[in-house]
């Protein structure tokens, strides 16, 4: 039964990959990347149970943390053109 | 100080969870790391009533089950819309004024709205919230202000 | 009792996978970025929640269950933040949602 969940998650990721390829804006692709990250996290968790190796859950936790940080970092980059430049906040309210 | 102590305890619990080994060396190393991080963030003024809101704990037990039920119901609605052959969506923008008194309360409201499928917060400020709803029915449900009132009760006195 | 819990966790796993696929289909079918975000949040909440619940029933009490709970809390707190950041960035960038605007409770 874990196999069924694994296959469903793989199908989900394949479908979302289609959205990432189609775009059309960078935000669509980012949303796709974020969703694939969530799926990968669940996939790691289910795979750990499928193989009887619950250590995979640690990887899933780290993956989830990196997923959120990565999305916000890329958004900051597109907003201000830089990861650290506080001038990026000038784009407010345009 | 109370908030720093509780943050330190939470960090230690996370350490124990990730390590899974209960030997003297690892236990004391974890305690040392948790203490160091709690002390450093106390010095940096990162932990306060807002950054680590444990005082909301008891009331969260009342609010979260309601939020979970809300999430399940609207997720079901959105799934039905997605598999519907004609895709019956009517996207609506709603602006309203939040009734919370603190930033923390407004963050809770914005996150609750976004977590519920069918509504996302686009802009959140003390004067005005801008929310995108997938259907007009969802926008109407939001406009009754039920969630807003519950979050204000959850937030308590500032 | 064990057989019952097993069956229940299978139901959760299967329906969680189904909701994940539904979310992905929505991501493909919806017409613009703001509506696609709604579809993705079905995947984030119900899909992820049901799969984690199914795994939780299989894990029993212990460290594994605690880790699954941490993953669930992580999604619960972090995914709306990322979603809001995305929607706000799209709005600031000037992408117009296809929507009728209105003001309520002035």
């Amino acid at each position: 039964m874990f196999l069924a969940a694994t296959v469903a998650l793989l199908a989900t990721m394949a479908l979302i990959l289609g959205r990432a390829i189609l775009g059309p804006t960078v935000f669509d692709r980012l949303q796709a990347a974020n969703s694939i990250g969530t799926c990968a996290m669940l996939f790691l968790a289910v795979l750990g149970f499928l193989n009887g190796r619950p250590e995979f859950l640690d990887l899933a936790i780290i993956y989830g943390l990196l997923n959120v940080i990565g999305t916000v970092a890329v958004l900051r980059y597109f907003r201000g053109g830089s990861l650290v430049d506080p001038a990026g906040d000038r784009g407010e309210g345009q | 100080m109370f908030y720093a102590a509780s943050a330190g305890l939470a960090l230690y619990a996370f350490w124990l969870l990730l390590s899974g080994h209960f030997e003297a060396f690892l236990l004391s190393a974890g305690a040392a790391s948790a203490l160091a991080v709690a002390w450093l963030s106390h010095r940096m003024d990162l932990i306060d009533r807002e950054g680590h809101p444990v005082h909301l704990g008891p009331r969260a037990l009342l609010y979260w089950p309601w939020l979970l039920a809300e999430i399940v119901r609207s997720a079901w609605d959105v799934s039905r819309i997605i598999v519907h052959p004609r895709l019956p969506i009517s996207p609506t923008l709603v602006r309203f004024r939040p009734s919370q008194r603190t930033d923390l309360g407004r963050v809770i409201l914005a996150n609750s709205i976004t977590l519920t499928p069918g509504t996302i917060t686009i802009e959140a400020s003390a004067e005005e919230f801008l929310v995108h709803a997938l259907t007009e029915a969802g926008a109407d449900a939001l406009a009754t202000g039920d969630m807003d009132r519950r979050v204000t009760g959850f937030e308590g006195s500032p | 009792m064990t057989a019952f819990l097993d069956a229940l966790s299978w139901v959760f796993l299967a329906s969680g996978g189904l909701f994940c696929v539904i979310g992905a289909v929505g991501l493909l079918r919806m017409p613009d970025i703001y509506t696609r975000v709604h579809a993705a949040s079905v995947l984030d909440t119900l899909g992820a929640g049901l799969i984690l619940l199914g795994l939780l029933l299989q894990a029993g009490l212990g460290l594994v269950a605690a880790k699954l709970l941490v993953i669930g809390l992580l999604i619960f707190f972090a995914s709306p933040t990322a979603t809001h950041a995305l929607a706000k960035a799209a709005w600031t960038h000037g992408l117009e949602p296809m929507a009728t605007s209105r003001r309520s409770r002035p």
Side-chain angles (χ1 to χ4, degrees):
Chain A
M1 203 56 205
F2 294 129
L3 203 62
T6 316
V7 172
L9 282 170
L10 277 178
T12 309
M13 283 195 265
L15 285 172
I16 299 174
L17 205 56
R19 175 45 71 197
I21 293 168
L22 285 175
T25 65
V26 67
F27 301 105
D28 293 282
R29 294 179 214 270
L30 256 180
Q31 175 62 60
N34 192 15
S35 298
I36 287 184
T38 308
C39 282
M41 185 157 91
L42 293 172
F43 185 72
L44 276 173
V46 179
L47 207 63
F49 276 81
L50 186 68
N51 292 340
R53 293 179 58 189
E55 303 89 33
F56 275 39
L57 286 177
D58 296 342
L59 304 183
I61 293 177
I62 301 300
Y63 206 99
L65 286 169
L66 284 178
N67 186 25
V68 176
I69 295 170
T71 305
V72 174
V74 174
L75 278 172
R76 262 189 88 81
Y77 180 75
F78 277 113
R79 189 141 156 253
S82 156
L83 282 177
V84 287
D85 187 11
D89 290 340
R90 273 184 317 208
E92 203 84 41
Q94 274 176 358
Chain B
M1 201 62 221
F2 165 69
Y3 291 99
S6 115
L9 273 181
L11 284 169
Y12 193 40
F14 192 56
W15 169 288
L16 290 181
L17 183 71
L18 286 187
S19 105
H21 292 279
F22 297 93
E23 301 154 19
F25 171 69
L26 283 173
L27 285 180
S28 47
S33 321
L35 267 178
V37 172
W39 179 65
L40 280 178
S41 26
H42 183 63
R43 254 176 67 96
M44 286 165 77
D45 246 353
L46 286 178
I47 302 180
D48 50 10
R49 222 178 134 76
E50 199 168 76
H52 191 72
V54 273
H55 57 279
L56 292 179
R59 281 198 297 269
L61 295 181
L62 284 176
Y63 179 66
W64 283 356
W66 178 81
L67 182 63
L68 275 180
E70 200 71 1
I71 287 171
V72 170
R73 209 173 56 219
S74 50
W76 177 250
D77 288 345
V78 174
S79 316
R80 275 226 321 258
I81 289 174
I82 289 173
V83 295
H84 196 284
R86 275 188 294 111
L87 206 65
I89 57 172
S90 46
T92 311
L93 281 177
V94 184
R95 287 176 191 275
F96 68 92
R97 196 185 170 83
S99 66
Q100 285 75 35
R101 287 176 299 273
T102 58
D103 279 346
L104 180 62
R106 283 187 284 274
V107 168
I108 295 173
L109 177 63
N111 259 10
S112 305
I113 291 175
T114 310
L115 199 55
T116 319
T119 46
I120 41 171
T121 317
I122 295 178
E123 281 184 321
S125 70
E127 290 80 37
E128 200 176 55
F129 267 48
L130 176 60
V131 176
H132 184 278
L134 185 59
T135 59
E136 261 179 66
D140 289 337
L142 198 71
T144 59
D146 191 22
M147 183 178 269
D148 185 57
R149 272 192 302 278
R150 279 176 193 271
V151 173
T152 306
F154 174 42
E155 156 199 60
S157 52
Chain C
M1 191 62 193
T2 329
F4 172 70
L5 281 185
D6 243 19
L8 199 63
S9 88
W10 288 355
V11 170
F12 281 146
L13 279 173
S15 51
L18 185 68
F19 276 110
C20 278
V21 174
I22 288 178
V25 169
L27 211 56
L28 279 175
R29 281 192 76 189
M30 291 291 184
D32 75 337
I33 169 69
Y34 297 97
T35 46
R36 278 173 205 144
V37 170
H38 294 303
S41 73
V42 171
L43 196 157
D44 274 354
T45 55
L46 210 53
L50 283 174
I51 286 186
L52 287 178
L53 211 59
L55 291 181
L56 206 60
L57 287 181
Q58 291 282 339
L61 287 176
L63 217 56
V64 175
K67 279 180 190 169
L68 284 171
L69 275 180
V70 167
I71 294 180
L73 280 180
L74 188 67
I75 294 179
F76 190 74
F77 282 114
S79 105
T81 315
T83 306
H84 166 66
L86 195 94
K88 174 151 186 168
W91 179 261
T92 314
H93 194 254
L95 286 181
E96 280 296 318
M98 36 170 290
T100 53
S101 183
R102 67 169 167 184
R103 176 181 296 265
S104 71
R105 290 200 299 139

